[in-house]
Amino acid sequence: MIDMKPDSHGVPVWLEINPQGQFLFMQALSGLDLVTPCVTYFEREALSAAHRAHA
């Protein structure tokens, strides 16, 4: 799991990466794909922030 937070301008700031995030046990117990939506969200936010920074 990637820990990030927005700075005062809303730009995501990287804090750390945890290979075994706090929610992964729920994926194993539920059988639901929790990783893909999380990665998609972070990817979308990172690309959006990069686009705003270069606009």
Side-chain angles (χ1 to χ4, degrees), residues 2-55:
I2 300 169
D3 291 335
M4 300 176 79
K5 70 172 193 170
D7 68 10
S8 60
H9 302 288
V11 177
V13 176
W14 178 286
L15 299 175
E16 65 178 344
I17 188 165
N18 301 307
Q20 182 74 12
Q22 296 297 319
F23 69 92
L24 290 180
F25 73 96
M26 290 300 296
Q27 179 169 292
L29 292 173
S30 70
L32 298 172
D33 178 13
L34 302 176
V35 173
T36 301
C38 184
V39 170
T40 301
Y41 169 79
F42 284 126
E43 178 183 35
R44 184 177 59 242
E45 291 299 308
L47 291 173
S48 178
H51 178 69
R52 287 191 308 270
H54 295 292

